[in-house]
């Protein structure tokens, strides 16, 4: 199939199950040699149309769901990816949820309790802007729970995602890959623009100081939780047009493989010729 002029190979960004993956093996500014932004724009818009029609089928079929998990460091582009890729998709069939610091009610339960409630129902595309992975990332970096418990969470996560898969929810996980230098550039830009101040949190600078710890925590999570049922993709995210193409393509191909079908009518159309309606 070559309906899209720009053919992106995203398989090279998939973290192989079984470990041994290093973040340094993928350049965060990779574009696979492409530089034609006009072609990228045209391709993205074709992909969005495809996404929109696949999503309508998914909704009509009402038997399967798709969950996109988005993780990134601050300024990695999670919000902007959602905005760009999902533009034009019927909001009725989408559930987007951003996970913040857990509330006392949430902390009183196991870490997956709040997450399970937010998974997309059948027929929907769900997007997690941050996710249960925070519970092995920020929680690990800051030692918010005992290490023995964090250690068990990778298995808990894999079992949870397998459960979703077995019940008809396809899980795709994307880490938006940026470098520490790129983050600095983005943070500076954020502070130069009053309309972006709302996105800045002085705490982001504290997290930045722990960049290496975060990268180690990410590598661990990517290696231990990239499974055939719920693979992780490390998407180069510094060229935003390229990042959008990869994520859109991934969603379109996943939905195509799910092959949602319009349900058969609950009536015999021969009994209702349109011209006979009064
Ligand atoms: P933002 O996405 O910029 O609105 O920030 C949300 C903040 O909530 C980030 O600093 C996350 O690290 C934090 N957060 C999300 N989930 C958790 C969690 N399970 N435990 C601790 N902090 C979390
Ligand atoms: Mg933030």
């Amino acid at each position: 199939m070559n309906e899209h002029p720009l053919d992106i190979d995203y398989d090279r960004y998939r973290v192989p199950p079984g470990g041994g993956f290093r973040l340094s093996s993928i350049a965060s500014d990779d574009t696979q040699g492409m530089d034609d932004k006009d072609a990228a724009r045209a391709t993205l818009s074709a992909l969005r149309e495809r996404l929109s029609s696949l999503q309508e089928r998914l909704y009509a079929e009402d038997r399967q769901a798709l969950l996109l998990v988005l993780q990134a460091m601050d300024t990695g582009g999670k919000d902007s990816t959602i905005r760009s890729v999902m533009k034009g998709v019927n909001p009725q069939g989408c559930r987007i949820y951003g996970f913040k610091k857990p509330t006392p009610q949430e902390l009183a339960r196991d870490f997956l309790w709040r997450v399970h409630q937010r998974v997309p129902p059948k027929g929907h595309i769900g997007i997690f802007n941050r996710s249960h992975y925070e519970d092995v990332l920020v929680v690990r970096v800051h030692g918010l729970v005992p290490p023995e418990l964090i250690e068990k969470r990778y298995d808990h996560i894999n079992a949870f995602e397998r459960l979703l898969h077995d019940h008809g929810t396809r899980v795709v996980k994307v880490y938006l890959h940026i470098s520490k230098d790129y983050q600095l550039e983005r943070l500076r830009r954020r502070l130069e623009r009053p309309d972006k101040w709302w996105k800045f949190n002085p705490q982001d600078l504290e997290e930045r100081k722990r960049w290496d710890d975060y990268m180690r925590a990410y590598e661990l999570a990517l290696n231990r939780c990239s499974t055939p049922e719920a693979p992780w993709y490390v998407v180069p995210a510094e060229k935003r047009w390229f990042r959008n193409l990869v994520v859109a393509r991934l969603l379109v191909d996943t939905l195509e493989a799910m092959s949602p079908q319009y349900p058969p009518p609950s009536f015999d159309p021969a009994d209702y010729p349109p011209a006979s309606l009064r």
Side-chain angles (χ1 to χ4, degrees):
M1 183 192 68
N2 211 344
E3 86 193 59
H4 316 304
L6 291 187
D7 241 339
I8 302 237
D9 166 24
Y10 53 77
D11 270 343
R12 68 173 83 168
Y13 305 137
R14 180 203 277 257
V15 177
F21 172 81
R22 300 300 311 266
L23 277 171
S24 57
S25 68
I26 293 175
S28 49
D29 61 355
D30 187 27
T31 61
Q32 299 188 7
M34 298 170 202
D35 59 1
D36 186 344
K37 285 199 197 174
D38 288 337
R41 202 170 301 125
T43 303
L44 181 61
S45 124
L47 285 169
R48 280 196 197 117
E49 269 175 40
R50 190 82 197 111
L51 188 61
S52 173
S53 81
L54 282 159
Q55 189 265 334
E56 187 178 297
R57 278 173 184 268
L58 187 80
Y59 191 82
E61 182 195 59
D62 200 18
R63 295 174 67 98
Q64 318 176 72
L66 171 62
L67 171 62
L68 172 68
V69 169
L70 266 184
Q71 283 289 157
M73 295 295 284
D74 292 313
T75 77
K78 300 182 296 294
D79 297 342
S80 124
T81 302
I82 296 171
R83 199 170 51 240
S84 310
V85 172
M86 300 308 285
K87 194 170 155 186
V89 174
N90 184 352
Q92 183 155 253
C94 296
R95 299 284 165 92
I96 299 169
Y97 191 76
F99 288 92
K100 307 291 179 190
K101 260 178 77 165
T103 63
Q105 288 81 1
E106 289 167 348
L107 282 174
R109 274 85 175 190
D110 68 85
F111 77 108
L112 291 171
W113 179 77
R114 67 171 184 163
V115 180
H116 210 161
Q117 297 177 62
R118 304 290 178 179
V119 302
K122 285 177 180 160
H124 289 70
I125 297 177
I127 301 185
F128 285 174
N129 183 336
R130 303 187 189 269
S131 65
H132 43 301
Y133 283 91
E134 293 291 328
D135 295 284
V136 292
L137 294 166
V138 62
V139 171
R140 185 180 185 101
V141 167
H142 288 273
L144 301 180
V145 313
E148 317 82 78
L149 193 53
I150 298 179
E151 213 41 43
K152 292 186 178 171
R153 286 185 169 179
Y154 303 96
D155 290 341
H156 291 142
I157 288 174
N158 289 338
F160 171 60
E161 293 177 355
R162 200 174 325 116
L163 170 75
L164 297 182
H165 178 89
D166 290 347
H167 285 260
T169 298
R170 222 40 80 87
V171 183
V172 173
K173 301 173 297 198
V174 165
Y175 168 63
L176 300 174
H177 187 28
I178 60 168
S179 68
K180 195 178 177 190
D181 287 346
Y182 179 85
Q183 188 192 53
L184 180 63
E185 196 185 301
R186 300 303 302 176
L187 285 171
R188 283 193 176 138
R189 194 159 317 168
R190 214 166 249 191
L191 286 172
E192 279 163 6
R193 290 184 49 176
D195 62 323
K196 298 286 177 192
W197 286 349
W198 68 275
K199 282 199 163 211
F200 182 76
N201 179 344
Q203 180 63 29
D204 295 349
L205 298 180
E206 293 308 310
E207 303 309 316
R208 178 172 166 75
K209 287 184 191 154
R210 300 170 190 254
W211 183 273
D212 293 343
D213 293 339
Y214 270 104
M215 291 305 109
R216 270 192 290 275
Y218 264 110
E219 272 185 354
L220 214 51
L222 295 169
N223 275 303
R224 295 185 63 174
C225 300
S226 193
T227 60
E229 304 84 44
W232 265 112
Y233 291 87
V234 171
V235 173
E238 292 183 16
K239 302 290 182 244
R240 284 166 285 173
W241 58 270
F242 182 75
R243 168 203 76 192
N244 294 341
L245 280 186
V246 176
V247 175
R249 190 70 209 244
L250 195 51
L251 291 181
V252 164
D253 285 2
T254 304
L255 281 165
E256 255 160 21
M258 291 164 75
S259 183
Q261 304 295 323
Y262 286 113
S266 57
F267 58 92
D268 184 350
D271 293 341
Y272 301 91
S276 72
L277 294 190
R278 292 289 173 267

